[in-house]
Each structure stands twice: as structure tokens, then as C-alpha cells.
Amino acid sequence: MDICWQDFEKVDLRVGQIIAVEAFPEARRPAYKLWLDFGEEIGQRKSSAQITDLYDASTLIGKKVMAVVNFPAKQIGPFMSECLVTGFYREDGSVVLAVPDQDIPVGARLG
């Protein structure tokens, strides 16, 4: 299915910096609870991410990632996810985070 530029513009993809990580033992599949900073305009948001195969919680603090910030909040068990952290699936099902390859301010929008 093709989309037009206006469809793409509806997705608000921003750079967020992970500021806190916790285990999410209540999740159906192994996951972390993430808290991200998107700068003054967006503020802080929470997300659940199934990235435990490739990432240790301690190495995620300070990492900048791409996330969709304009989806409605979604209840995931006892946790409310407020944004969608993006990544790419490998053949084994593990997720590689989508990250900017150079330094960029938090809150920067993909466009």
C-alpha cells in the first residue's frame, strides 16, 4: 500500500533520551519499562520495550532513540505506555533500536 507525504507527516517521530530503565516482570514477553526525555516541547514519556535480548538496562541510560510520540497512550499490564520506541527485528526476533548516528538534540523531529 502506497502512502503520500501527508500520511507520513502525521507520524511524529522524535529523538528521545532514555533517562531511566526498570525491569518489567509483569510483561508477557521480556521487556523493560523506559522513561524518555523529549525536551521542553514534548517533555518526558514512558514506554515498554521488548529489547532485553540485546540491551542491558545499565547500557540504555543516556542512549538516544527514535520514538513515535503521537500515538494514544496504551495500557500494557500495570504500565501505561505513552510513546512507541522504534527498532528493527533481526531474523532471531530480537530488536535493534533505531538510533540517530550523530549527536542531535532531544525532541528533534524526523522529517
Side-chain angles (χ1 to χ4, degrees), residues 18 20-36 45-52 60 65-68 73-87 89 95 97:
I18 299 171
V21 180
E22 289 182 7
F24 191 3
E26 305 91 351
R28 282 189 230 151
R29 294 174 56 200
Y32 292 126
K33 296 176 187 177
L34 305 177
W35 284 261
L36 300 103
R45 301 272 176 98
K46 301 179 294 185
S47 186
S48 169
Q50 296 172 352
I51 55 174
T52 59
L60 290 169
V65 297
M66 296 299 305
V68 178
K74 181 177 181 180
Q75 189 74 41
I76 302 174
F79 188 72
M80 182 65 72
S81 183
E82 302 167 328
C83 63
L84 174 68
V85 173
T86 61
Y89 287 98
V95 176
L97 290 169

Side-chain angles (χ1 to χ4, degrees), residues 3 6 10 31-32 35 40-41 51 58-59 105:
I3 65 170
Q6 290 78 14
K10 292 176 186 176
Y32 292 126
W35 284 261
E40 288 185 25
E41 182 182 349
I51 55 174
S58 63
T59 64

